[in-house]
Amino acid sequence: MKITSTIRLYLALVTLITGYLGGPSDSLAQVGDVTLYEGATLIVGDGSSIENSSFIVQNGRFSRVGSSGDIEAPDGAVHIDLTGKTVMPTIVDTHTHIGVGAGTDEWLDGQAQRTDLISELHQYAYAGVAVVTSMGWVSEPAFQVRAEYHPNAARLLVSGRGASVPLAHEPETIRRHEAGLPSRFEEDSNDVTSWIHNERQAKLYVRERASQRVDHIKLWVDDRLGAELLMSPEIYGTIIDEAHKHDIPVYAHIWHMRDAKGVVRAGADMLAHPVRGEYIDDEFVRLMKDNNTVQQTNMWIPWSYTITLEDGPTFWEDPLYVEMATSRDVDRFYEIAVNGPQPRTHEGQAPDVDALALNSLIYDRIVRNTARLYDEGVRIALGTEGWSFSTSGGFNGHKTLELLVNDVGLTPTQAIPIATRNSAEALGLNHLGTVEPGKTASFIVLNANPLDEITNTRRIDDVYLYGHRVDREMIRRTYFTESVNPPEPGNE
C-alpha cells in the first residue's frame, strides 16, 4: 500500500498525541520545517535568560539555543525576527477543574462535555498554557479528548473520578439538613467522586483507574471544617501504595497540616493545596523535603475571596482578562469587591461566618506557608484550581505569577520557573518547561519583558505549541465575541 505524504503527516501527529506525555515521538522528526528565531530576550525557564537570543526549531523541537550570531541555520531555513520581543516557555497548570460543572444536567450530556472541554483547551492555549490537568471530576469525554490532537489547544491530563470518603454522612450535616438549616447535604449527596468505604475498595478503585490509563489520581483528605467525614490513613495509604504499584502518581487535596503530614508520610507525590488550616512547622518542612513532595501554589482563588475595589481593576482593567472574560466573570468579582465574599460553604464555612476576615486569614496562611516552603527548597509547582465558571481559563496562571511576586515576595526570575519547568517536571513532562535543545518547541512570544514587570506575561503576541503556531485569531473569533464593559467605580 502506498503511503502518501498526507497520511505520513497524520500518522506522525497521531503518534505524537498518543505519546506526548512521555515526550514527543521520534516519528515527529519525519515532519516539519526548520525555523530560526532571532533577536528576542529569551527566558529559558530555569531561572536564566539570554539577551538577543537565537534558537532553531526543527521538527517541532528546539534543536539549538544560544546568542544571536552564534547559531547558523541550515540552508532553506525560515528566519523570524523577534527583535524587541521576549520569549518564555509555555505555562503548565497542574491543577484545574476543566469541563462542565459536575452534577449538572450538562454533566450527563457527553457531547456537551466534549464541546466544553475543547472550548476551554483552546482558550488555555490562547493564554499560553500548554498543558492542564483535570483533577478528579471528569468522565469518558475527557478521555476521548485526551486521545485526540487539537493543534490550537492545550493538552489535557486526566484522573478520572477522584477518591473521597462517603459524603453526606457526617451526623451534624445530616441533623442540619433534617432541621431545614443550611448545610452541605445536597452538595455532598450529588458529588461525583468515587466514595471509598474500606481498604479493599481502595485497591479496586486504583485498579479501575489503572485500566483507564489515568495520568494521576486525585484524592480528598479533608473534613471540610467538620462538615464531612475524614478519609482515614488506612484508606489513603492503601490508595497511594496501590497507585504506585501501577506507576500512577497521587495528588492529595488537604486543608490541615496533620492531614498533609499524613499523606506526605504515605508517599503522596504532590499536595494539591498549601496547608490552609494553620502555619506550617519545622516537621512539615522536613517531611516535604525528605519525601521530595511537590507543593502546588493554588492561591489565586483564595485571593479572589479577599478582593476589594482597589484590587478589582487587576481583573477588569487587564487587557488579557477583559479580552477573555464574560460579563458573568466580571460581575462575580465586582460583587465580591463591593459587598465582600459570601461564606465558602463548599469548604465548610458556616453561613454566618465573617467571610472576609476568615478568607483573609486563610490567604495569609497560604502566602506565608508558600514563602517558607520556597525558601526551604521545597519544589513548588503552579496550580490554579481554575474552574470553567470562575474566570477565563488561562488567565489564572498569569494572575498566580503576579501573586507569587507581589504577595509571596519572589522575583520574576524565581516565579516563572514555578509555572514552566517545575510544573512540567511535577507532571513528568520533561520535554516541556524550558527552552533547551531536544525539548518540544512550546513557547510564548511577548510584547514586553516579564523580568521587568511580571504582569507582562499577559502581553502575548504569539503562542507556539509543539512547534505549531497557535491560531489565536481563530480562537478570538470563535470564543471571545462578547463585549465586556469594565465596571465604573461609584456605580455600585
Side-chain angles (χ1 to χ4, degrees):
M1 173 179 157
K2 183 177 179 181
I3 301 179
T4 66
S5 59
T6 300
I7 294 176
R8 281 196 180 94
L9 174 60
Y10 173 78
L11 292 175
L13 292 175
V14 168
T15 304
L16 169 63
I17 301 148
T18 57
Y20 78 84
L21 298 185
S25 165
D26 289 338
S27 299
L28 190 62
Q30 307 297 320
V31 189
D33 297 321
V34 180
T35 304
L36 172 67
Y37 298 84
E38 288 188 291
T41 297
L42 175 61
I43 299 172
V44 177
D46 61 0
S48 65
S49 60
I50 303 172
E51 298 289 339
N52 194 19
S53 69
S54 178
F55 58 92
I56 293 176
V57 173
Q58 185 171 8
N59 304 319
R61 302 184 187 191
F62 298 111
S63 62
R64 296 190 65 187
V65 178
S67 298
S68 185
D70 293 343
I71 295 177
E72 188 173 331
D75 291 341
V78 176
H79 289 246
I80 295 181
D81 184 4
L82 296 179
T83 300
K85 306 291 186 181
T86 299
V87 168
M88 65 174 281
T90 46
I91 292 169
V92 174
D93 193 337
T94 65
H95 190 146
T96 74
H97 291 278
I98 190 173
V100 298
T104 64
D105 290 340
E106 290 80 6
W107 169 262
L108 302 175
D109 184 338
Q111 186 57 47
Q113 281 204 53
R114 173 184 169 79
T115 299
D116 191 79
L117 285 166
I118 294 172
S119 165
E120 290 189 56
L121 292 172
H122 277 137
Q123 294 177 64
Y124 272 104
Y126 185 88
V129 179
V131 177
V132 300
T133 65
S134 185
M135 290 285 273
W137 284 351
V138 298
S139 55
E140 185 58 32
F143 288 90
Q144 297 168 3
V145 171
R146 179 184 66 167
E148 299 165 354
Y149 177 60
H150 298 275
N152 294 299
R155 273 53 171 176
L156 175 64
L157 308 187
V158 298
S159 64
R161 294 194 177 198
S164 70
V165 294
L167 305 179
H169 284 60
E170 207 285 328
E172 178 61 18
T173 299
I174 295 173
R175 185 196 69 77
R176 291 182 64 87
H177 172 71
E178 290 177 344
L181 300 171
S183 74
R184 287 180 47 90
F185 186 86
E186 292 296 335
E187 178 181 353
D188 289 350
S189 299
N190 292 313
D191 191 84
V192 293
T193 58
S194 293
W195 292 3
I196 311 300
H197 296 76
N198 52 53
E199 295 170 56
R200 170 62 177 166
Q201 190 180 13
K203 290 183 179 181
L204 294 175
Y205 161 80
V206 173
R207 291 169 190 173
E208 182 180 6
R209 299 288 84 74
S211 72
Q212 294 178 305
R213 302 179 65 86
V214 297
D215 300 297
H216 53 274
I217 281 174
K218 167 75 178 292
L219 57 84
W220 279 263
V221 183
D222 182 6
D223 66 359
R224 302 292 182 176
L225 301 180
E228 290 178 355
L229 301 178
L230 181 66
M231 182 179 285
S232 70
E234 291 74 22
I235 289 179
Y236 67 65
T238 299
I239 291 173
I240 293 170
D241 286 344
E242 189 70 18
H244 288 171
K245 290 177 184 177
H246 294 274
D247 296 320
I248 303 173
V250 178
Y251 309 151
H253 168 113
I254 52 85
W255 182 279
H256 292 292
M257 184 166 57
R258 66 167 190 267
D259 303 321
K261 288 179 179 180
V263 296
V264 171
R265 289 191 184 99
D269 300 274
M270 186 152 50
L271 297 185
H273 296 267
V275 170
R276 294 164 282 174
E278 49 271 309
Y279 297 103
I280 57 176
D281 61 17
D282 293 343
E283 181 187 35
F284 177 72
V285 173
R286 186 174 63 253
L287 283 169
M288 291 289 285
K289 294 177 71 173
D290 290 348
N291 290 277
N292 296 315
T293 310
V294 178
Q295 176 66 71
Q296 293 178 2
T297 54
N298 225 322
M299 58 193 300
W300 99 261
I301 288 182
W303 173 84
S304 76
Y305 277 84
T306 69
I307 62 173
T308 65
L309 279 176
E310 292 181 357
D311 303 304
T314 64
F315 284 121
W316 51 71
E317 291 180 7
D318 182 275
L320 180 63
Y321 180 74
V322 170
E323 186 175 31
M324 299 181 68
T326 66
S327 294
R328 179 185 60 178
D329 292 332
V330 174
D331 290 346
R332 175 177 176 270
F333 289 114
Y334 191 60
E335 182 177 353
I336 292 175
V338 173
N339 300 317
Q342 296 299 306
R344 299 194 70 190
T345 56
H346 173 71
E347 292 182 337
Q349 295 181 13
D352 56 353
V353 73
D354 182 339
L356 180 58
L358 178 56
N359 284 291
S360 295
L361 174 61
I362 290 168
Y363 183 66
D364 184 69
R365 290 168 178 161
I366 289 172
V367 167
R368 290 173 58 181
N369 289 344
T370 300
R372 181 172 182 189
L373 290 176
Y374 184 90
D375 290 342
E376 296 278 2
V378 173
R379 182 60 61 97
I380 310 293
L382 179 89
T384 67
E385 201 173 19
W387 295 77
S388 59
F389 53 82
S390 65
T391 192
S392 306
F395 179 82
N396 315 336
H398 295 279
K399 184 64 186 179
T400 299
L401 283 170
E402 179 187 349
L403 297 175
L404 286 169
V405 171
N406 292 346
D407 293 357
V408 176
L410 306 186
T411 67
T413 299
Q414 293 170 322
I416 289 172
I418 289 174
T420 58
R421 178 198 60 192
N422 291 13
S423 295
E425 290 179 354
L427 297 178
L429 306 178
N430 296 320
H431 62 291
L432 286 172
T434 56
V435 179
E436 296 182 69
K439 295 203 174 185
T440 49
S442 295
F443 59 97
I444 311 170
V445 180
L446 302 168
N447 290 318
N449 191 339
L451 299 181
D452 299 329
E453 167 53 55
I454 192 62
T455 57
N456 287 338
T457 63
R458 308 170 197 173
R459 297 185 60 183
I460 299 172
D461 188 51
D462 265 320
V463 175
Y464 290 79
L465 296 178
Y466 295 80
H468 170 85
R469 181 175 177 271
V470 172
D471 189 349
R472 297 180 81 237
E473 178 57 34
M474 177 276 292
I475 296 172
R476 186 183 296 112
R477 291 195 314 268
T478 304
Y479 302 109
F480 308 145
T481 56
E482 180 182 0
S483 178
V484 174
N485 297 313
E488 296 182 12
N491 291 340
E492 63 269 15

mmCIF file of all heavy atoms in Angstrom, residues 56-94:
data_model
loop_
_atom_site.group_PDB
_atom_site.id
_atom_site.type_symbol
_atom_site.label_atom_id
_atom_site.label_comp_id
_atom_site.label_asym_id
_atom_site.label_seq_id
_atom_site.Cartn_x
_atom_site.Cartn_y
_atom_site.Cartn_z
ATOM 1 N N ILE A 56 16.767 27.640 17.094
ATOM 2 C CA ILE A 56 16.250 26.940 15.917
ATOM 3 C C ILE A 56 15.190 25.938 16.354
ATOM 4 O O ILE A 56 15.387 25.188 17.317
ATOM 5 C CB ILE A 56 17.371 26.214 15.158
ATOM 6 C CG1 ILE A 56 18.333 27.228 14.538
ATOM 7 C CG2 ILE A 56 16.802 25.304 14.069
ATOM 8 C CD1 ILE A 56 19.526 26.603 13.847
ATOM 9 N N VAL A 57 14.063 25.943 15.646
ATOM 10 C CA VAL A 57 13.023 24.940 15.836
ATOM 11 C C VAL A 57 12.992 24.049 14.599
ATOM 12 O O VAL A 57 12.865 24.538 13.478
ATOM 13 C CB VAL A 57 11.645 25.599 16.059
ATOM 14 C CG1 VAL A 57 10.545 24.540 16.081
ATOM 15 C CG2 VAL A 57 11.635 26.394 17.356
ATOM 16 N N GLN A 58 13.144 22.773 14.837
ATOM 17 C CA GLN A 58 13.161 21.805 13.743
ATOM 18 C C GLN A 58 12.322 20.594 14.124
ATOM 19 O O GLN A 58 12.536 19.998 15.183
ATOM 20 C CB GLN A 58 14.596 21.367 13.432
ATOM 21 C CG GLN A 58 14.726 20.455 12.229
ATOM 22 C CD GLN A 58 16.186 20.234 11.851
ATOM 23 O OE1 GLN A 58 17.099 20.637 12.563
ATOM 24 N NE2 GLN A 58 16.410 19.613 10.712
ATOM 25 N N ASN A 59 11.370 20.276 13.262
ATOM 26 C CA ASN A 59 10.506 19.121 13.506
ATOM 27 C C ASN A 59 9.826 19.184 14.876
ATOM 28 O O ASN A 59 9.687 18.200 15.582
ATOM 29 C CB ASN A 59 11.302 17.823 13.388
ATOM 30 C CG ASN A 59 11.992 17.698 12.063
ATOM 31 O OD1 ASN A 59 11.422 18.030 11.029
ATOM 32 N ND2 ASN A 59 13.235 17.260 12.090
ATOM 33 N N GLY A 60 9.400 20.398 15.235
ATOM 34 C CA GLY A 60 8.644 20.564 16.463
ATOM 35 C C GLY A 60 9.464 20.623 17.728
ATOM 36 O O GLY A 60 8.905 20.657 18.830
ATOM 37 N N ARG A 61 10.802 20.659 17.601
ATOM 38 C CA ARG A 61 11.656 20.696 18.781
ATOM 39 C C ARG A 61 12.682 21.818 18.661
ATOM 40 O O ARG A 61 13.018 22.259 17.563
ATOM 41 C CB ARG A 61 12.407 19.383 18.953
ATOM 42 C CG ARG A 61 11.528 18.162 19.059
ATOM 43 C CD ARG A 61 12.372 16.940 19.333
ATOM 44 N NE ARG A 61 11.577 15.724 19.283
ATOM 45 C CZ ARG A 61 12.018 14.535 19.696
ATOM 46 N NH1 ARG A 61 13.249 14.421 20.172
ATOM 47 N NH2 ARG A 61 11.243 13.468 19.624
ATOM 48 N N PHE A 62 13.171 22.243 19.823
ATOM 49 C CA PHE A 62 14.316 23.144 19.814
ATOM 50 C C PHE A 62 15.555 22.312 19.469
ATOM 51 O O PHE A 62 15.848 21.319 20.144
ATOM 52 C CB PHE A 62 14.516 23.793 21.182
ATOM 53 C CG PHE A 62 13.371 24.641 21.646
ATOM 54 C CD1 PHE A 62 12.584 24.251 22.721
ATOM 55 C CD2 PHE A 62 13.072 25.842 21.011
ATOM 56 C CE1 PHE A 62 11.532 25.028 23.157
ATOM 57 C CE2 PHE A 62 12.019 26.629 21.436
ATOM 58 C CZ PHE A 62 11.241 26.223 22.508
ATOM 59 N N SER A 63 16.273 22.724 18.447
ATOM 60 C CA SER A 63 17.491 21.983 18.095
ATOM 61 C C SER A 63 18.750 22.703 18.549
ATOM 62 O O SER A 63 19.735 22.064 18.921
ATOM 63 C CB SER A 63 17.548 21.723 16.588
ATOM 64 O OG SER A 63 17.604 22.938 15.860
ATOM 65 N N ARG A 64 18.742 24.039 18.518
ATOM 66 C CA ARG A 64 19.888 24.799 19.007
ATOM 67 C C ARG A 64 19.375 26.061 19.694
ATOM 68 O O ARG A 64 18.391 26.665 19.251
ATOM 69 C CB ARG A 64 20.838 25.176 17.874
ATOM 70 C CG ARG A 64 21.491 23.982 17.171
ATOM 71 C CD ARG A 64 22.600 24.439 16.231
ATOM 72 N NE ARG A 64 23.706 25.050 16.982
ATOM 73 C CZ ARG A 64 24.742 25.655 16.409
ATOM 74 N NH1 ARG A 64 24.813 25.750 15.078
ATOM 75 N NH2 ARG A 64 25.704 26.174 17.145
ATOM 76 N N VAL A 65 20.047 26.461 20.771
ATOM 77 C CA VAL A 65 19.655 27.649 21.530
ATOM 78 C C VAL A 65 20.924 28.383 21.937
ATOM 79 O O VAL A 65 21.872 27.777 22.444
ATOM 80 C CB VAL A 65 18.851 27.278 22.795
ATOM 81 C CG1 VAL A 65 18.491 28.527 23.593
ATOM 82 C CG2 VAL A 65 17.588 26.499 22.431
ATOM 83 N N GLY A 66 20.968 29.699 21.698
ATOM 84 C CA GLY A 66 22.142 30.475 22.084
ATOM 85 C C GLY A 66 21.942 31.945 21.815
ATOM 86 O O GLY A 66 20.812 32.446 21.746
ATOM 87 N N SER A 67 23.043 32.660 21.654
ATOM 88 C CA SER A 67 23.005 34.087 21.368
ATOM 89 C C SER A 67 22.939 34.335 19.876
ATOM 90 O O SER A 67 23.440 33.536 19.074
ATOM 91 C CB SER A 67 24.246 34.773 21.952
ATOM 92 O OG SER A 67 24.279 34.640 23.352
ATOM 93 N N SER A 68 22.342 35.441 19.502
ATOM 94 C CA SER A 68 22.228 35.792 18.095
ATOM 95 C C SER A 68 23.623 35.941 17.501
ATOM 96 O O SER A 68 24.510 36.555 18.097
ATOM 97 C CB SER A 68 21.451 37.096 17.940
ATOM 98 O OG SER A 68 21.227 37.400 16.589
ATOM 99 N N GLY A 69 23.808 35.380 16.337
ATOM 100 C CA GLY A 69 25.102 35.412 15.672
ATOM 101 C C GLY A 69 25.936 34.184 15.937
ATOM 102 O O GLY A 69 26.869 33.891 15.174
ATOM 103 N N ASP A 70 25.621 33.445 17.013
ATOM 104 C CA ASP A 70 26.382 32.234 17.330
ATOM 105 C C ASP A 70 25.803 30.990 16.676
ATOM 106 O O ASP A 70 26.429 29.935 16.694
ATOM 107 C CB ASP A 70 26.424 32.017 18.847
ATOM 108 C CG ASP A 70 27.216 33.082 19.576
ATOM 109 O OD1 ASP A 70 27.990 33.799 18.896
ATOM 110 O OD2 ASP A 70 27.046 33.217 20.805
ATOM 111 N N ILE A 71 24.600 31.118 16.158
ATOM 112 C CA ILE A 71 23.917 29.952 15.576
ATOM 113 C C ILE A 71 23.654 30.213 14.103
ATOM 114 O O ILE A 71 23.097 31.248 13.729
ATOM 115 C CB ILE A 71 22.599 29.671 16.315
ATOM 116 C CG1 ILE A 71 22.889 29.264 17.764
ATOM 117 C CG2 ILE A 71 21.793 28.584 15.610
ATOM 118 C CD1 ILE A 71 21.659 29.033 18.597
ATOM 119 N N GLU A 72 24.052 29.279 13.291
ATOM 120 C CA GLU A 72 23.836 29.390 11.850
ATOM 121 C C GLU A 72 22.782 28.377 11.422
ATOM 122 O O GLU A 72 22.920 27.176 11.688
ATOM 123 C CB GLU A 72 25.148 29.137 11.107
ATOM 124 C CG GLU A 72 25.065 29.433 9.614
ATOM 125 C CD GLU A 72 26.421 29.344 8.939
ATOM 126 O OE1 GLU A 72 27.441 29.608 9.611
ATOM 127 O OE2 GLU A 72 26.449 28.997 7.746
ATOM 128 N N ALA A 73 21.749 28.864 10.793
ATOM 129 C CA ALA A 73 20.666 27.983 10.376
ATOM 130 C C ALA A 73 21.028 27.238 9.101
ATOM 131 O O ALA A 73 21.800 27.739 8.272
ATOM 132 C CB ALA A 73 19.393 28.789 10.157
ATOM 133 N N PRO A 74 20.476 26.054 8.902
ATOM 134 C CA PRO A 74 20.699 25.315 7.654
ATOM 135 C C PRO A 74 20.141 26.071 6.459
ATOM 136 O O PRO A 74 19.270 26.942 6.598
ATOM 137 C CB PRO A 74 19.941 24.010 7.887
ATOM 138 C CG PRO A 74 19.716 23.920 9.345
ATOM 139 C CD PRO A 74 19.632 25.325 9.840
ATOM 140 N N ASP A 75 20.625 25.755 5.290
ATOM 141 C CA ASP A 75 20.098 26.350 4.070
ATOM 142 C C ASP A 75 18.602 26.077 3.966
ATOM 143 O O ASP A 75 18.132 24.976 4.271
ATOM 144 C CB ASP A 75 20.806 25.771 2.842
ATOM 145 C CG ASP A 75 22.262 26.201 2.754
ATOM 146 O OD1 ASP A 75 22.605 27.207 3.407
ATOM 147 O OD2 ASP A 75 23.046 25.521 2.065
ATOM 148 N N GLY A 76 17.867 27.083 3.561
ATOM 149 C CA GLY A 76 16.434 26.926 3.377
ATOM 150 C C GLY A 76 15.615 27.180 4.620
ATOM 151 O O GLY A 76 14.382 27.113 4.577
ATOM 152 N N ALA A 77 16.282 27.477 5.740
ATOM 153 C CA ALA A 77 15.538 27.716 6.979
ATOM 154 C C ALA A 77 14.765 29.026 6.888
ATOM 155 O O ALA A 77 15.203 29.995 6.264
ATOM 156 C CB ALA A 77 16.480 27.758 8.170
ATOM 157 N N VAL A 78 13.604 29.053 7.511
ATOM 158 C CA VAL A 78 12.815 30.267 7.618
ATOM 159 C C VAL A 78 13.408 31.126 8.732
ATOM 160 O O VAL A 78 13.780 30.612 9.793
ATOM 161 C CB VAL A 78 11.341 29.936 7.926
ATOM 162 C CG1 VAL A 78 10.528 31.208 8.140
ATOM 163 C CG2 VAL A 78 10.746 29.087 6.816
ATOM 164 N N HIS A 79 13.526 32.439 8.511
ATOM 165 C CA HIS A 79 14.043 33.353 9.526
ATOM 166 C C HIS A 79 12.895 34.211 10.057
ATOM 167 O O HIS A 79 12.159 34.813 9.281
ATOM 168 C CB HIS A 79 15.132 34.255 8.941
ATOM 169 C CG HIS A 79 16.413 33.538 8.654
ATOM 170 N ND1 HIS A 79 17.584 33.800 9.316
ATOM 171 C CD2 HIS A 79 16.691 32.540 7.770
ATOM 172 C CE1 HIS A 79 18.533 33.016 8.853
ATOM 173 N NE2 HIS A 79 18.023 32.246 7.916
ATOM 174 N N ILE A 80 12.775 34.286 11.390
ATOM 175 C CA ILE A 80 11.765 35.138 12.014
ATOM 176 C C ILE A 80 12.480 36.090 12.973
ATOM 177 O O ILE A 80 13.177 35.655 13.901
ATOM 178 C CB ILE A 80 10.705 34.312 12.760
ATOM 179 C CG1 ILE A 80 9.904 33.462 11.760
ATOM 180 C CG2 ILE A 80 9.766 35.220 13.563
ATOM 181 C CD1 ILE A 80 8.810 32.628 12.389
ATOM 182 N N ASP A 81 12.296 37.383 12.734
ATOM 183 C CA ASP A 81 12.935 38.406 13.547
ATOM 184 C C ASP A 81 12.045 38.745 14.740
ATOM 185 O O ASP A 81 10.923 39.216 14.576
ATOM 186 C CB ASP A 81 13.186 39.656 12.697
ATOM 187 C CG ASP A 81 13.954 40.743 13.446
ATOM 188 O OD1 ASP A 81 14.349 40.495 14.599
ATOM 189 O OD2 ASP A 81 14.134 41.833 12.861
ATOM 190 N N LEU A 82 12.558 38.516 15.940
ATOM 191 C CA LEU A 82 11.809 38.796 17.172
ATOM 192 C C LEU A 82 12.449 39.937 17.957
ATOM 193 O O LEU A 82 12.263 40.046 19.181
ATOM 194 C CB LEU A 82 11.724 37.542 18.043
ATOM 195 C CG LEU A 82 10.945 36.357 17.468
ATOM 196 C CD1 LEU A 82 10.969 35.180 18.443
ATOM 197 C CD2 LEU A 82 9.512 36.737 17.150
ATOM 198 N N THR A 83 13.158 40.783 17.275
ATOM 199 C CA THR A 83 13.792 41.916 17.949
ATOM 200 C C THR A 83 12.743 42.739 18.704
ATOM 201 O O THR A 83 11.686 43.065 18.160
ATOM 202 C CB THR A 83 14.515 42.810 16.937
ATOM 203 O OG1 THR A 83 15.515 42.035 16.259
ATOM 204 C CG2 THR A 83 15.184 43.986 17.633
ATOM 205 N N GLY A 84 13.038 43.054 19.956
ATOM 206 C CA GLY A 84 12.106 43.814 20.782
ATOM 207 C C GLY A 84 11.094 42.951 21.517
ATOM 208 O O GLY A 84 10.342 43.458 22.355
ATOM 209 N N LYS A 85 11.049 41.657 21.227
ATOM 210 C CA LYS A 85 10.119 40.738 21.886
ATOM 211 C C LYS A 85 10.837 39.985 23.008
ATOM 212 O O LYS A 85 12.064 40.007 23.123
ATOM 213 C CB LYS A 85 9.557 39.722 20.888
ATOM 214 C CG LYS A 85 8.923 40.321 19.647
ATOM 215 C CD LYS A 85 7.631 41.042 19.947
ATOM 216 C CE LYS A 85 6.962 41.504 18.648
ATOM 217 N NZ LYS A 85 5.707 42.248 18.914
ATOM 218 N N THR A 86 10.064 39.316 23.828
ATOM 219 C CA THR A 86 10.585 38.399 24.838
ATOM 220 C C THR A 86 9.929 37.042 24.629
ATOM 221 O O THR A 86 8.728 36.962 24.338
ATOM 222 C CB THR A 86 10.295 38.904 26.259
ATOM 223 O OG1 THR A 86 10.940 40.160 26.451
ATOM 224 C CG2 THR A 86 10.812 37.928 27.309
ATOM 225 N N VAL A 87 10.702 35.993 24.759
ATOM 226 C CA VAL A 87 10.190 34.630 24.618
ATOM 227 C C VAL A 87 10.338 33.911 25.945
ATOM 228 O O VAL A 87 11.364 34.022 26.625
ATOM 229 C CB VAL A 87 10.952 33.869 23.515
ATOM 230 C CG1 VAL A 87 10.638 32.371 23.553
ATOM 231 C CG2 VAL A 87 10.616 34.435 22.136
ATOM 232 N N MET A 88 9.309 33.196 26.338
ATOM 233 C CA MET A 88 9.357 32.349 27.534
ATOM 234 C C MET A 88 8.670 31.025 27.240
ATOM 235 O O MET A 88 7.869 30.933 26.294
ATOM 236 C CB MET A 88 8.669 33.034 28.727
ATOM 237 C CG MET A 88 7.192 33.261 28.570
ATOM 238 S SD MET A 88 6.388 33.905 30.083
ATOM 239 C CE MET A 88 6.239 32.377 31.048
ATOM 240 N N PRO A 89 8.947 29.975 28.012
ATOM 241 C CA PRO A 89 8.249 28.705 27.808
ATOM 242 C C PRO A 89 6.759 28.851 28.101
ATOM 243 O O PRO A 89 6.341 29.734 28.856
ATOM 244 C CB PRO A 89 8.909 27.757 28.820
ATOM 245 C CG PRO A 89 10.182 28.420 29.217
ATOM 246 C CD PRO A 89 9.943 29.893 29.092
ATOM 247 N N THR A 90 5.969 27.991 27.516
ATOM 248 C CA THR A 90 4.541 27.972 27.836
ATOM 249 C C THR A 90 4.334 27.540 29.285
ATOM 250 O O THR A 90 5.170 26.893 29.906
ATOM 251 C CB THR A 90 3.788 27.009 26.908
ATOM 252 O OG1 THR A 90 4.519 25.782 26.821
ATOM 253 C CG2 THR A 90 3.594 27.600 25.534
ATOM 254 N N ILE A 91 3.188 27.917 29.799
ATOM 255 C CA ILE A 91 2.808 27.604 31.183
ATOM 256 C C ILE A 91 2.217 26.194 31.246
ATOM 257 O O ILE A 91 1.554 25.736 30.309
ATOM 258 C CB ILE A 91 1.801 28.643 31.687
ATOM 259 C CG1 ILE A 91 2.498 30.014 31.840
ATOM 260 C CG2 ILE A 91 1.148 28.221 32.995
ATOM 261 C CD1 ILE A 91 1.548 31.166 32.086
ATOM 262 N N VAL A 92 2.449 25.515 32.351
ATOM 263 C CA VAL A 92 1.835 24.219 32.645
ATOM 264 C C VAL A 92 1.053 24.373 33.943
ATOM 265 O O VAL A 92 1.608 24.823 34.952
ATOM 266 C CB VAL A 92 2.891 23.109 32.772
ATOM 267 C CG1 VAL A 92 2.251 21.802 33.232
ATOM 268 C CG2 VAL A 92 3.625 22.915 31.446
ATOM 269 N N ASP A 93 -0.228 24.025 33.927
ATOM 270 C CA ASP A 93 -1.092 24.167 35.101
ATOM 271 C C ASP A 93 -1.380 22.781 35.674
ATOM 272 O O ASP A 93 -2.079 21.971 35.059
ATOM 273 C CB ASP A 93 -2.394 24.871 34.714
ATOM 274 C CG ASP A 93 -3.211 25.329 35.920
ATOM 275 O OD1 ASP A 93 -3.017 24.751 37.007
ATOM 276 O OD2 ASP A 93 -4.025 26.256 35.769
ATOM 277 N N THR A 94 -0.881 22.526 36.873
ATOM 278 C CA THR A 94 -1.010 21.197 37.463
ATOM 279 C C THR A 94 -2.354 20.955 38.141
ATOM 280 O O THR A 94 -2.596 19.850 38.632
ATOM 281 C CB THR A 94 0.099 20.970 38.514
ATOM 282 O OG1 THR A 94 -0.078 21.892 39.605
ATOM 283 C CG2 THR A 94 1.480 21.149 37.914
#
